[in-house]
Amino acid sequence: MPQITVDYSENLESAFDRRDFALALHPLIVETIDTKLSACKTRFRRVDETVVAGGTPADALVHIGIGLLPGRADELKAQLSEAVLGLLATHLKPAEGIEPVLSAEVRDLEPSYRKR
């Protein structure tokens, strides 16, 4: 915990420095929700096809999902989502003709969550 998943459009491959983003994201999460850096784990999933709104070839998105152990206030989760979106915007290089939709969701992990 936290479990972080980043889905991003294929056409952002060269515009998104994923490793640098994760290395900046982990301390941000630690500061915001008071967890340990060693607990942060991020995986990236390239999405080969995305359709946004009217479906133009320039469609792109980045969605960040963060799963936390239950118990944090909704306001804190919303604060983290906003901070993550701000950080994300600084780690996307401009790509000609592409203006990605950025989103973030912070949610509670299911009670069945286990880690070894």
Side-chain angles (χ1 to χ4, degrees), residues 1-3 36 38-41 69 112-116:
M1 189 283 308
Q3 294 290 333
K36 295 178 183 176
S38 61
C40 295
K41 299 165 287 304
L69 292 175
S112 62
Y113 174 78
R114 300 293 185 270
K115 179 180 103 171
R116 288 190 186 175

Side-chain angles (χ1 to χ4, degrees), residues 16-24 44 91:
F16 186 20
D17 188 336
R18 295 170 299 282
R19 182 171 178 76
D20 280 354
F21 173 69
L23 291 173
F44 293 89
H91 282 80

Side-chain angles (χ1 to χ4, degrees), residues 7-103:
D7 295 314
Y8 66 96
S9 298
E10 179 181 34
N11 56 354
L12 295 174
E13 187 81 31
S14 62
F16 186 20
D17 188 336
R18 295 170 299 282
R19 182 171 178 76
D20 280 354
F21 173 69
L23 291 173
L25 176 63
H26 294 173
L28 173 72
I29 292 172
V30 168
E31 291 172 17
T32 306
I33 66 163
D34 190 29
T35 190
K36 295 178 183 176
L37 186 64
S38 61
C40 295
K41 299 165 287 304
T42 299
R43 67 178 176 258
F44 293 89
R45 300 185 298 199
R46 186 183 73 206
V47 179
D48 294 332
E49 186 172 353
T50 55
V51 178
V52 178
T56 69
D59 286 352
L61 62 85
V62 179
H63 176 74
I64 301 165
I66 302 173
L68 304 174
L69 292 175
R72 291 176 174 85
D74 289 341
E75 295 81 17
L76 184 61
K77 291 185 234 177
Q79 177 186 346
L80 179 56
S81 291
E82 287 294 333
V84 167
L85 289 175
L87 180 67
L88 176 60
T90 68
H91 282 80
L92 282 173
K93 298 175 199 157
E96 189 173 331
I98 298 173
E99 190 162 331
V101 174
L102 309 179
S103 60

